[in-house]
Amino acid sequence: MPNIGNLDGVPSVAMSTVISIRDLKTHCMTCSMRELCLPVGLEREAMHQLDQLVSERRRFKRGEPIYSAGEPFAALYAIRLGSCKTTVLAEDGREQVAGYHMPGDLLGLDGIGHDRHGCQSIALEDIEVCVLPFGQLEELSHRFPPLQKNLHRVLSREIIRDHNVMLLLGSMRAEERLAVFLLNLSHRYHDRGYSATEFVLRMTREEIGSYLGLKLETVSRLFSRFQQEGLIQVQGRAIKLLDTAALRQLAGQHG
Amino acid sequence: MPNIGNLDGVPSVAMSTVISIRDLKTHCMTCSMRELCLPVGLEREAMHQLDQLVSERRRFKRGEPIYSAGEPFAALYAIRLGSCKTTVLAEDGREQVAGYHMPGDLLGLDGIGHDRHGCQSIALEDIEVCVLPFGQLEELSHRFPPLQKNLHRVLSREIIRDHNVMLLLGSMRAEERLAVFLLNLSHRYHDRGYSATEFVLRMTREEIGSYLGLKLETVSRLFSRFQQEGLIQVQGRAIKLLDTAALRQLAGQHG
DNA sequence: GGCAGGGCTTGAGACAGATCAAGGACGCTC
DNA sequence: GAGCGTCCTTGATCTGTCTCAAGCCCTGCC
């Protein structure tokens, strides 16, 4: 893929990360994530307005922050492509991964509460996000109640997700945590049209461990054990789920 | 206190838990929690409308659920008096306390996401809540942008709170968790006009443990140790913080 | 006043997961 | 394709927290 940020000999300082969305003819209407993202269920006009609102699209390379803790909050970010992690920092420097995000997810919801980002989101691979200036989004959601409803749902679902992570961290054993994690990824890849049983992890063992409240060695050992037991096949970051029923059993999900 | 639900010989079946708020001359305007609750910063008219919206006030005895998992979501509940715990249930029956709530807190936010409550809130002592029908609240917030803003903030702050609990559960040791817990309670009591250093816990050791991802024996031992070290004074559920600086140190808060 | 039951404390021992340590695999860059 | 750094695996040992167990202290009830 050509470096889209450096067409026409335009100096690349700004262009390498900031691209006018209209120039690229990208619209919510035709975005493959529209069913998972904010526009879900909106009528034509509302979706069009939302399109207009997306002031720009930004790209980040692996390791770059989409936003950082302490920054003034101005916009939400909808992932179009790629994935990232959100981390909370303790005062003493300890870092906790609070979530992994993929296309269709909305980032930065924690910034609304105090007009300042409370955590940071870091790209795990090259990523592209739509920038949704929050003031305008509130205004627009004010004119289109279904959009308001969607925004409320997104916020509430993040709370539900967080509660489930608490359940995981507070009362599950290591093997259960990892099983839940793998099944959750599987489910989300499936929702996005990818294989539910074969995928490539975008994060290190240490990052998985941080999310699950475990050390990287424990994660590594569990992967090995799951493989030995025939539950999964691991090769570095490439994962194949071989026995999802058994994984669900382990995860305490009798479904 | 007389049984307010049974005045005038009215049959008490409904009246024992449902009271028209207007009859009792209770208004957001005069509520002592207005600065911590949804009405914060609203102009007269908006606050009046919010008052009108509060369809009823309900009372629950200790142990009663304000709402339960699986119930259709219809309303948010603002605590006027008393406190409760919110618990998430795993499919296998395990229970995790996801939060403790006190006057001014809004309950039921997790219900918005799927029009159904995903967890339950149980009264820890006799409690009184204002019922805010959510459909009407959305409509009203649509007419009063500052109210919409407040709602967004409340939702976002719950996310921030949850992230901090994840940090606690995922990367802190037992003693740090308990220190954080005590300081958090202290802070919230202070905000509500109570002593920041002397308060009575409303929950059992087991419930504290569930919230902190610890067993009740561990919580008990830590209380004893903190007392021995002169950090606190414990007598059953009565707590006195003696050395908040040391507690903050323990909690990793250098403030 | 005695008794029952829930909640709390404390001790001893077990164990899951952390820590420490060493080496291997993989993917960069030059 | 050599060399380096990051990430990963695996083993040995350690330890914080859990588990099991016993007894105490309230509070409410008969």
Side-chain angles (χ1 to χ4, degrees), chain A residues 154-238:
Chain A
V154 166
L155 282 157
S156 175
R157 284 178 192 172
E158 175 66 21
I159 293 171
I160 295 169
R161 192 187 70 78
D162 292 348
H163 283 178
N164 287 325
V165 176
M166 285 186 214
L167 178 64
L168 179 145
L169 291 172
S171 53
M172 291 188 180
R173 293 176 323 103
E175 56 180 22
E176 303 179 271
R177 295 183 200 187
L178 190 62
V180 168
F181 176 70
L182 290 173
L183 289 170
N184 177 261
L185 282 184
S186 160
H187 189 238
R188 289 159 75 196
Y189 278 123
H190 180 73
D191 282 352
R192 283 158 182 78
Y194 298 107
S195 167
T197 54
E198 281 188 62
F199 45 85
V200 174
L201 300 171
R202 303 266 97 122
M203 66 294 283
T204 66
R205 302 291 192 256
E206 185 168 21
E207 287 166 333
I208 296 172
S210 171
Y211 183 58
L212 300 178
L214 303 170
K215 290 293 159 189
L216 72 98
E217 294 95 331
T218 303
V219 174
S220 180
R221 276 185 243 273
L222 283 170
F223 273 135
S224 301
R225 217 185 78 203
F226 282 6
Q227 177 159 250
Q228 256 184 330
E229 292 168 349
L231 300 179
I232 64 174
Q233 191 179 309
V234 208
Q235 188 147 194
R237 302 203 182 168

Side-chain angles (χ1 to χ4, degrees), chain B:
Chain B
M1 193 187 281
N3 176 2
I4 239 168
N6 207 6
L7 297 173
D8 307 326
V10 175
S12 72
V13 176
M15 286 301 283
S16 69
T17 54
V18 179
I19 302 155
S20 163
I21 191 170
R22 241 156 308 156
D23 296 342
L24 289 168
K25 302 262 180 297
T26 312
H27 299 296
C28 289
M29 207 87 70
T30 57
C31 176
S32 65
M33 284 303 127
R34 74 183 177 288
E35 290 303 317
L36 291 167
C37 194
L38 219 42
V40 61
L42 296 189
E43 32 127 1
R44 271 187 87 81
E45 178 56 19
M47 210 181 292
H48 178 67
Q49 294 282 333
L50 189 57
D51 249 344
Q52 299 296 102
L53 179 150
V54 174
S55 57
E56 44 172 309
R57 198 165 42 150
R58 287 193 200 150
R59 295 179 167 211
F60 299 89
K61 296 216 163 296
R62 180 149 65 102
E64 288 179 353
I66 288 104
Y67 59 86
S68 298
E71 273 179 33
F73 167 73
L76 297 179
Y77 305 92
I79 304 182
R80 271 181 56 79
L81 220 98
S83 60
C84 70
K85 63 171 177 179
T86 297
T87 65
V88 199
L89 292 137
E91 288 184 35
D92 61 7
R94 261 178 302 192
E95 198 175 321
Q96 167 78 24
V97 173
Y100 292 107
H101 306 283
M102 43 179 77
D105 288 348
L106 228 52
L107 304 177
L109 301 173
D110 65 288
I112 301 169
H114 297 112
D115 295 318
R116 198 162 281 281
H117 286 288
C119 56
Q120 59 177 4
S121 281
I122 309 253
L124 288 171
E125 60 190 318
D126 291 5
I127 190 176
E128 196 173 314
V129 301
C130 297
V131 180
L132 307 164
F134 189 65
Q136 292 173 51
L137 185 60
E138 271 189 318
E139 208 175 295
L140 193 64
S141 77
H142 181 237
R143 284 166 45 211
F144 294 98
L147 178 60
Q148 189 188 33
K149 188 117 208 142
N150 282 355
L151 182 57
H152 290 162
R153 277 173 193 276
V154 166
L155 282 158
S156 174
R157 284 178 191 171
E158 174 66 21
I159 293 171
I160 296 169
R161 192 189 69 80
D162 292 349
H163 283 178
N164 286 325
V165 175
M166 285 186 214
L167 178 65
L168 178 146
L169 291 172
S171 51
M172 290 188 179
R173 293 176 322 103
E175 56 179 21
E176 303 179 90
R177 296 184 199 187
L178 190 62
V180 169
F181 176 70
L182 290 173
L183 289 170
N184 178 260
L185 282 184
S186 160
H187 188 241
R188 289 159 75 197
Y189 279 123
H190 180 73
D191 282 352
R192 283 158 182 78
Y194 299 107
S195 167
T197 54
E198 281 189 63
F199 45 86
V200 174
L201 299 172
R202 304 265 96 122
M203 66 296 281
T204 66
R205 302 289 192 256
E206 185 168 20
E207 287 167 333
I208 296 172
S210 172
Y211 182 57
L212 300 179
L214 302 170
K215 291 294 158 188
L216 72 96
E217 295 94 332
T218 304
V219 174
S220 179
R221 276 185 243 273
L222 284 170
F223 273 135
S224 301
R225 216 186 78 205
F226 281 7
Q227 178 160 248
Q228 255 184 329
E229 291 168 351
L231 301 180
I232 64 174
Q233 190 178 307
V234 208
Q235 189 145 199
R237 302 203 182 169
I239 301 281
K240 200 184 287 190
L241 306 188
L242 300 177
D243 189 347
T244 51
L247 281 172
R248 265 197 291 275
Q249 181 85 4
L250 244 188
Q253 298 165 203
H254 315 295

